[in-house]
Amino acid sequence: MVLIHQSPAKISQRRGSAGTKTSASTVRRLLLVLFVALILPLVVLQKKILTNSINAATLSLSTSNNTLNGGSATTVTTSNNKPKATIAYAISLIRCSDFQSSTSGLLDAATILRHSVHKTSIRNPASGSRYDYKLYAIVHTKAASCSQILSDLGYEVLLRDSPVQISEIRGNYLRKNVHKEWCCGADEFVKLMAYTIEDHPIVVHTDIDFMYYQPMDTIFDAMLLPHDSEEGKLAQKNIEMEYPDKVIPENIQAYLTRDYHQVIPGRKAAFQAGFIVLKPNKDVYEEYLEIIREGNFVEGFSRENGWGGKGYGGVVGSMAMQGLPAYYYDIIRPNTTVELNGCRYNHMGANIFYEDVPNFIRRYKDLHGKCRRNVEGCEDCRKTDVSLVKNIHFTNCRKPWNCAGKSSTGKGDIDPRTADYDHCMGVVRKWHEVRTDLEGSIANITGDTKVLEGQSGEYNKDAFMGHCSEDGQKGYLPIVADKEVMAKVAQKIWSEHVG
């Protein structure tokens, strides 16, 4: 056997070489860890900065494009501006003509109503609103032939027949007389279909001769937020009520206003059928229909007339949608509604002092000059500052598209017994301002000033802003925009993108 012998010196030298290599490897590993610890955060930070820059550029481009398309970036919203809810805004079309408006007037009425909803919603950041909207048109089958124009404007058309046929009404007086009721007899009950629009937490239903002037977030909040939450309490506190001392229901089912300018002081006031804010509810809808079918309506003008013999009669519309909801919410479902200040909401500028027509009885001398609400200190809506008004119902001040520029008791003029001429001119001007705003946006979008031809009228220009050439319906100058132009408006101005 041969033994290989290595000297201690050589063995020691080899061990020393291995130790040197181990130290170098350790150093390299430490350097690698240090590199990763220092460089990786810088890479991540750079990526984040780049992403934020791209997002900012994208938002800037979106804003720029909207500005070019509509004159202002009214449809730009961010993820921090999500709507609280989408409100259903509904109108009812019962006939293609109401004998108070021309066809072009009704078309423009629906257009400006639609634009006013948009201007007071979250889609217009300048409004400050946090609520989005969807438009509905409840169209009676008798008006089906003119419903397409509403569809073209972005309303979802719900074609419906009268929910109760006259032959179904068991009460003799109502069955034999409801067809005479202003404006549309039993056909007006189609408005009750608003209670069946259940895809939204709130439905706002108005007549077509209506316009929104300021957002209604306060009453929406009070209706939707928990009544005992801090936000809910604040919203309730800020509701402008007709009777501020009344207790607000814990679960508000509806907001309404009353038609005080018709009532004799001390009598039951009818509901004002041109405006209601409600929570959709099919049970409520069915209860209404059963009341109509029962037909318990007492004729005459005594305190025991009208629905259920409770005094809800004797005024225009009492057999239909003026008298019925007042009876329903006072008697059938009491303490579920809030009556809003009628000078702020559903503003008509009407005289509610017992001084003259309607229903003025000269022998009731002790009532002359009294507030028809039968309380002291009534607000005179004829003198209300228009800047305080939330929305407007064009009744006593006449339809803006009818160019009513005279004060007289003549047909179609502003009746000095029931309205103030100067106040009405200020109210009507608000509608024409919204139309002018829309026309300016159309000109911006199309690059064509043809739409401004509708502002060439010289009659009462301070109030009508060029949209009237003479007094009366025939003097109205309609919006100059065809179907294709309005399609662009729907895309560029009334954008449905939120958040």
Side-chain angles (χ1 to χ4, degrees), residues 403-408 412-415 421 425 459-460 464 471:
C403 302
K406 296 177 181 178
S407 176
S408 81
D413 291 341
I414 295 169
D415 192 333
Y421 176 81
M425 289 298 98
Y459 180 65
N460 203 346
F464 303 145
D471 194 76

Side-chain angles (χ1 to χ4, degrees), residues 108-117 211 431 434-435 438 479:
D108 286 2
T111 303
I112 300 310
L113 174 58
R114 193 250 187 276
H115 193 50
S116 73
V117 171
M211 187 193 85
W431 188 91
V434 175
R435 175 179 158 173
L438 177 60
I479 298 173

Side-chain angles (χ1 to χ4, degrees), residues 365-391:
K365 291 184 179 180
D366 58 323
L367 299 179
H368 292 184
K370 279 195 171 185
C371 173
R372 291 179 186 255
R373 285 173 52 208
N374 206 33
V375 298
E376 297 296 328
C378 273
E379 180 177 351
D380 189 345
C381 298
R382 297 169 299 176
K383 299 176 182 178
T384 299
D385 188 331
V386 179
S387 67
L388 300 176
V389 172
K390 301 293 185 182
N391 37 62

